[in-house]
């Protein structure tokens, strides 16, 4: 999902940070000669700085489960016109949780449930904006039925129905000799003969003028010279009065007639002009020019058409001052003309895009002010006030920020108290800030961010305690690890500092943590390790800037490279093989980055890079690498394979399968057979397809490839054999995979041992994997299945220490507590994970526990929240239906 970087909201807090220039100016070769003692004493303090945690401009309720459940309940019974707004709120909740996939799904639901054309094109434009960089997928699907542009332009003229009563106006009866069939309108020197009654039928004013008590009703000639209509325009109006149609009319005349129609209340004529002009809007320039007329003449179809053009050009159109002026100068009436009843959704989108471009900019402020002005419900107000408060804070407009944070808190947003505390601290009220956060902690079930925020106003000894509590409640917060690691490094305890920062990097590949570890390695003069981290950073974010954004990561890499030995292409392949085999994914990424500078084939390297990034849960970076693989493919058959993976990874399995088949028709290759086997195994639920998958993997193994990929194919083949009950064949595959150092094959071999009733052998096999793998949380989790309860508990405790995001250990421990009739402890075990992870399995189990304990309301709340995470989970739907039936 495309969201602005939270780091933008903390850069101002990094005072006296490291000045890279002093290091950048070191002569080539000199840095390595600096003594460790000199570096430690003079440079560590300036090199290692941890910024304050960012103040996030997100909606962050204290109990997101309760809010999601409320939204779900409201969606079940609300009028259709409210559904899109509720899905937008759901989107905001998921954004606060950092759930990118769920955010996009909520946004799609808001688009699907749009009840007005304005909501349809606003959310369609938002989804189009979010899918920037994915145009290649649309291209690949261009010949498929499902490729019809689902977020394409809306035909506004056909969907925005005319809701005004524009029926003809009946003529006033007149005596026979008084009736004049024609009327002549004089405009300058020209005369236009019109049908009196047809013109009278255009509007009430014309009807009164031509058939009422006015002098014109008995006059055959009427002077319209002062009414800003040309003879050509009047002739078109006369024709329209007869036919009801506007045929080929130049835009300048349409505008003239629109103004005239609005002045004389000719609703049918105005509506026809409105729609005709709307059909002519084809560019941003057209839209800028015509929007002025649309707003002035209250022409909703034209205004909506212009707005749609602007939104479909996001973010580029926000660099156009004329477009920005239209958005920021719109009052309530103008917003209504432009976007109907969807101004809040519109300015949510515009604010999001503006913050991505520059959160400190004037236009960001103006859009957020419009968002505040458009907010109607308390939920909308708390989000708008908080976001504007964050931007004001970033701009050092502290008094305004304080006022906005107070408004957000009053509307019910507890997280905005963090903003109030930041402002209070700047104003010198440190004790007040501490007490403010303490009051929050004591008044609700505390969350990790509350202790993290309070730590900023503690003395050093208390700060460490609060940050330990923050990590206990929310291990996904990176600041506590960074603070502790930096503190240990300043105390010359490098081993403990690296261990602390590695804790978080073991399950969350955060750029700011990689940057800090890079600084540690620089301070320790471990340049090879520093190079590894900076290359991983550049893989994830090629334009990343370090040290408060003052120096490009690529520039630092260039300097570090002067202090390490160069590797040949052969060296690189050996390094990649070693690191891949030891499940060192960050190290593997670094080696591939280095190899991409050589003459090695780039297509296959970018493909390997994408596999690693997927394993590290970096899907956007993985897709970028996969597209680069396609771009650098040296042959059609290789390009087709990468296109197949692009389609498969974006949910188009059948299309990916066809790409694999096309590639095989050109040339039999390992990757084409592997892709076909993988896609077929995933797409077909028919057990008979396993024979085909086996055949395809065997074909893949007969084709040339390196041992890294052949090990994966053998591992997959072993899994298919296990599923079919062919344990001997499976074991052979796993053993052969291990011979070429495919370390993960230990897990498959352990499964074979277990199915042969050799539990001890399975445990021993998983122990080998744990010993070899650099990243081994999943191995501990799997080994826990092959031992007694006490060892299982120990392994799962280790899993939670290594990767607290894995849900199974919490569920296991909760189930054990429930079996021991410790219901409250079981609920608490699940709740501590649910607090920072919106996981359907955790919510499902807690709902079942609540049901078992007779707490129907608690069960129903968890059911509704879980169905917000996955609306189609069948077991959850059944539990929800059963619990719902208990409600009185």
């Amino acid at each position: 999902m495309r969201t602005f970087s939270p780091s933008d909201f903390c850069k101002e807090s990094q005072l006296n940070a490291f000045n890279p220039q002093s290091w950048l100016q070191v002569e080539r070769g000199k840095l390595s000669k600096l003594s460790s003692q000199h570096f430690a004493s003079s440079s560590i303090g300036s090199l290692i700085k941890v910024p304050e945690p960012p103040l996030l401009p997100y909606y962050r309720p204290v109990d997101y489960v309760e809010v999601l459940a409320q939204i779900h309940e409201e969606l079940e019974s609300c009028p259709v016109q409210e559904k899109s707004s509720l899905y937008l709120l759901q989107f905001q909740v998921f954004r606060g949780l950092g759930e990118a996939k769920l955010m996009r799904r909520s946004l799609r639901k808001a688009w699907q449930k749009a009840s007005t054309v304005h909501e349809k094109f606003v959310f369609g434009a938002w989804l189009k904006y979010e899918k920037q960089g994915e145009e290649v997928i649309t291209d690949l699907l261009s010949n498929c039925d499902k490729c019809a542009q689902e977020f394409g332009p809306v035909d506004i003229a056909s969907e925005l129905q005319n809701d005004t009563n524009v029926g003809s106006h009946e003529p006033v009866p007149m005596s026979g000799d008084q009736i004049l069939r024609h009327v002549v309108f004089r405009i300058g020197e020209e005369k236009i003969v019109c049908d009196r009654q047809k013109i009278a039928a255009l509007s009430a004013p014309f009807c009164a003028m031509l058939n009422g008590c006015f002098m014109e009703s008995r006059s055959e000639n009427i002077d319209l010279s002062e009414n800003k209509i040309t003879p050509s325009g009047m002739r078109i109006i006369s024709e329209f009065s007869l036919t009801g149609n506007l045929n080929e009319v130049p835009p300048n005349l349409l505008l003239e007639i629109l103004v005239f129609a609005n002045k004389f209340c000719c609703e049918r004529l105005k509506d026809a002009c409105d729609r005709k002009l709307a059909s002519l809007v084809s560019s941003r320039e057209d839209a800028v020019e015509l929007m002025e007329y649309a707003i002035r003449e209250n022409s909703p179809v034209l205004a909506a058409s212009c707005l749609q053009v602007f939104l479909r050009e996001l973010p580029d159109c926000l660099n156009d001052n004329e477009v920005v002026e239209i958005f920021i100068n719109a009052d309530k009436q103008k917003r209504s003309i432009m976007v109907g009843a969807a101004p809040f959704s519109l300015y949510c989108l515009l604010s999001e895009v503006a913050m991505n471009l520059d959160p400190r900019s004037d236009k960001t402020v103006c859009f957020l002010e419009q968002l505040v002005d458009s907010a109607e419900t308390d939920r909308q107000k708390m989000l708008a006030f908080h976001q504007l408060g964050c931007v004001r804070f970033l701009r050092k407009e502290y008094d305004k920020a304080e006022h906005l944070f107070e408004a957000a808190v009053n509307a019910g947003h507890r997280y905005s108290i963090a903003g109030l505390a930041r402002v209070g601290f700047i104003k010198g009220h440190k004790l007040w800030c501490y007490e403010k956060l303490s009051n929050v902690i004591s008044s609700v079930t505390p969350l990790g961010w509350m202790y993290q925020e309070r730590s900023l106003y503690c003395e050093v000894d208390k700060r460490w305690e609060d940050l330990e509590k923050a990590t206990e409640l929310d291990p996904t917060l990176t600041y506590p690890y960074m603070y502790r690691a930096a503190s240990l490094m300043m105390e010359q305890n490098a081993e403990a500092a690296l261990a602390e920062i590695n804790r978080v990097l073991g399950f969350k590949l955060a750029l700011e943590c990689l940057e800090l570890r890079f600084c540690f390695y620089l301070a320790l003069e471990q340049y090879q390790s520093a190079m590894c981290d900076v290359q991983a950073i550049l893989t994830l974010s090629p334009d990343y800037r370090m040290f408060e954004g003052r120096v490009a990561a690529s520039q630092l890499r260039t300097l570090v490279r002067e202090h390490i030995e160069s590797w040949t292409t052969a060296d690189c392949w050996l390094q990649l093989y070693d690191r891949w085999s030891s499940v060192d994914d960050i190290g593997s990424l670094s080696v591939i980055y280095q190899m991409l500078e050589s003459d090695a084939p780039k297509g296959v390297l970018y493909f390997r890079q994408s596999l690693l990034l997927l394993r590290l849960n970096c899907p956007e970076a993985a897709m970028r690498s996969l597209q680069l693989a396609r771009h650098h493919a040296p042959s059609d058959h290789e390009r087709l394979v990468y296109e197949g993976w692009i389609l498969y990874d974006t949910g188009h399995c059948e299309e990916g399968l066809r790409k694999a088949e096309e590639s095989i028709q050109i040339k039999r290759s390992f990757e084409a057979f592997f892709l076909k086997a993988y896609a077929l195994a995933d797409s077909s639920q028919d057990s008979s397809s396993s024979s085909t998958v086996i055949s395809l993997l065997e074909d893949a193994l007969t084709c040339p490839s390196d041992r890294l990929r052949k090990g994966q194919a053998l591992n997959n083949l072993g899994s298919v054999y296990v599923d079919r009950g062919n344990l001997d064949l499976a074991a052979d595959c796993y053993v052969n995979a291990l011979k070429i150092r495919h370390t993960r094959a230990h897990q498959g071999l352990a499964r074979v041992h277990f199915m042969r009733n050799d539990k001890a052998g399975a445990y021993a096999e998983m122990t080998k994997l744990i010993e070899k793998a650099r990243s081994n949380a999943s191995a501990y989790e799997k080994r826990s299945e092959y031992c007694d309860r006490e060892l299982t508990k120990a392994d799962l405790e280790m899993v939670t220490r290594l990767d607290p995001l894995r849900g199974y250990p919490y569920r296991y421990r909760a189930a054990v507590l429930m079996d021991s009739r410790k219901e409250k402890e079981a609920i608490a075990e699940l709740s501590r994970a649910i607090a920072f992870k919106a996981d359907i399995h955790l919510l499902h189990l807690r709902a079942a526990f609540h049901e078992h304990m007779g707490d129907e309301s608690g069960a129903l709340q968890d059911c509704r929240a879980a169905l917000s995470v996955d609306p189609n989970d069948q077991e959850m739907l059944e539990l929800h239906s059963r619990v719902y039936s208990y409600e009185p």
Side-chain angles (χ1 to χ4, degrees), residues 206-335:
F206 270 129
C207 186
M209 176 195 294
L210 299 177
N211 293 327
C213 301
F214 295 96
M215 179 178 62
E216 289 85 352
S217 64
R218 291 172 174 77
S219 175
E220 190 173 0
N221 292 280
I222 299 174
D223 189 354
L224 284 183
S225 299
E226 302 300 321
N227 287 282
K228 296 183 179 180
I229 189 73
T230 62
S232 299
M234 196 63 214
R235 290 190 187 94
I236 293 169
I237 293 170
S238 176
E239 183 181 349
F240 178 83
S241 73
L242 297 171
T243 65
N245 294 314
L246 291 172
N247 296 317
E248 297 301 319
V249 182
N252 61 319
L253 282 181
L254 282 171
L255 289 171
E256 179 185 304
I257 296 167
L258 176 66
V259 174
F260 181 87
N262 200 33
K263 179 178 180 180
F264 286 93
C265 303
C266 304
E267 295 300 331
R268 281 191 304 119
L269 177 60
K270 178 186 171 184
D271 184 64
C273 285
D274 193 5
R275 294 171 187 277
K276 192 76 171 177
L277 283 165
S279 69
L280 300 177
V281 182
S282 59
S283 68
R284 188 195 306 172
E285 291 73 21
D286 292 340
V288 168
E289 180 181 356
L290 293 172
M291 181 65 92
E292 179 183 352
Y293 285 93
I295 291 175
R296 189 175 67 208
E297 305 302 331
N298 191 11
S299 302
V301 181
L302 177 58
S305 298
C306 295
L307 178 58
Q308 178 172 235
V309 168
F310 296 150
L311 297 185
R312 294 193 65 77
E313 292 190 14
L314 288 172
D316 292 343
C317 75
L318 294 192
N319 295 318
D320 186 327
N321 290 334
E322 290 183 294
V323 174
V324 172
E325 287 295 315
I326 289 169
F327 288 134
I328 65 178
N329 291 328
D331 57 20
K332 185 174 183 179
Q333 182 181 1
K334 291 176 181 177
R335 292 196 299 263

Side-chain angles (χ1 to χ4, degrees), residues 506 577-586 588 615 738 741-747 764-782 798 802:
Y577 187 56
D578 286 342
R579 296 178 191 219
W580 199 290
S581 299
S582 62
V583 198
D584 177 7
D585 294 335
I586 295 177
S588 299
R615 213 152 66 192
L738 289 170
R741 297 179 62 191
H742 186 78
T743 309
R744 284 185 171 84
H746 283 296
Q747 183 167 322
E765 202 66 45
M766 290 307 301
T767 302
K768 293 176 185 176
L769 176 56
I770 288 169
E771 291 168 350
K772 292 180 182 179
R774 181 86 173 262
S775 176
N776 54 19
S778 63
Y780 275 106
E781 184 174 303
K782 195 65 183 176
M798 178 61 76
L802 293 174

Side-chain angles (χ1 to χ4, degrees), residues 613-631:
L613 289 166
L614 279 177
R615 213 152 66 192
L616 288 163
N617 195 29
C618 302
E620 289 186 3
M623 182 53 64
R624 183 175 64 242
S625 295
L626 205 46
Q627 292 182 19
L628 285 168
R630 174 184 181 251
H631 177 73

Side-chain angles (χ1 to χ4, degrees), residues 125-148:
W126 200 332
L127 285 163
K128 180 177 181 290
Y129 169 73
E130 293 290 345
K131 291 171 77 70
Q132 284 181 101
E134 299 178 19
E135 293 81 4
V136 64
I137 300 166
T138 302
D139 293 340
L140 293 176
L141 290 169
S142 58
N143 296 321
C144 305
D145 292 338
K146 64 166 65 175
C147 174

Side-chain angles (χ1 to χ4, degrees), residues 167 403 795:
H403 172 75
D795 272 359

Side-chain angles (χ1 to χ4, degrees), residues 62 440-451 469 473-474 835:
V62 170
V440 176
I441 289 169
S442 62
S443 63
V444 297
T445 300
L447 298 173
W449 68 260
M450 298 173 185
Y451 283 96
K469 188 65 175 179
L473 294 175
D474 186 352

